[in-house]
Amino acid sequence: MASNKIGLENMENPHEEQQKMLLGRIVSNVKKLNEVLEDMNSRIQEINEYNRDIVILSQFWSNYSRNVTFNLESMEKLMEPM
């Protein structure tokens, strides 16, 4: 029985090579995915930086419009829309 046990330990897994190849492909694909996600994150960061100026301009415009409306109402010069 002891020799039988030794024989099983020396036996190689017939699927081991295929499993190693699949694992290698998975690792390679995960590395590629990580690179793409890093690139996407940097591009999103650039877009957010560009959009920051637009958000600030929008806030300025909104405040300006609100102030103009308030001043025209207080001067009683605001006309009704046609």
Side-chain angles (χ1 to χ4, degrees):
M1 185 112 169
S3 64
N4 211 8
K5 204 176 207 183
I6 293 173
L8 289 176
E9 289 176 1
N10 289 335
M11 229 173 104
E12 291 188 26
N13 182 352
H15 303 291
E16 185 176 3
E17 190 63 33
Q18 185 178 15
Q19 290 170 349
K20 283 181 183 179
M21 288 175 47
L22 287 173
L23 187 58
R25 288 176 55 194
I26 291 170
V27 168
S28 174
N29 287 335
V30 169
K31 284 180 182 178
K32 288 177 186 177
L33 176 63
N34 190 40
E35 291 172 3
V36 169
L37 289 176
E38 287 175 356
D39 183 49
M40 185 180 75
N41 283 337
S42 67
R43 290 172 190 247
I44 289 173
Q45 186 176 2
E46 289 175 12
I47 290 169
N48 285 338
E49 289 171 6
Y50 291 132
N51 286 343
R52 190 175 307 131
D53 291 339
I54 295 171
V55 168
I56 291 170
L57 179 63
S58 172
Q59 290 170 345
F60 282 148
W61 181 255
S62 178
N63 288 338
Y64 173 78
S65 176
R66 189 177 58 233
N67 288 337
V68 166
T69 302
F70 173 79
N71 287 325
L72 287 175
E73 285 175 350
S74 68
M75 293 172 36
E76 296 179 359
K77 297 203 178 199
L78 183 65
M79 296 183 166
E80 292 294 321
M82 294 183 169

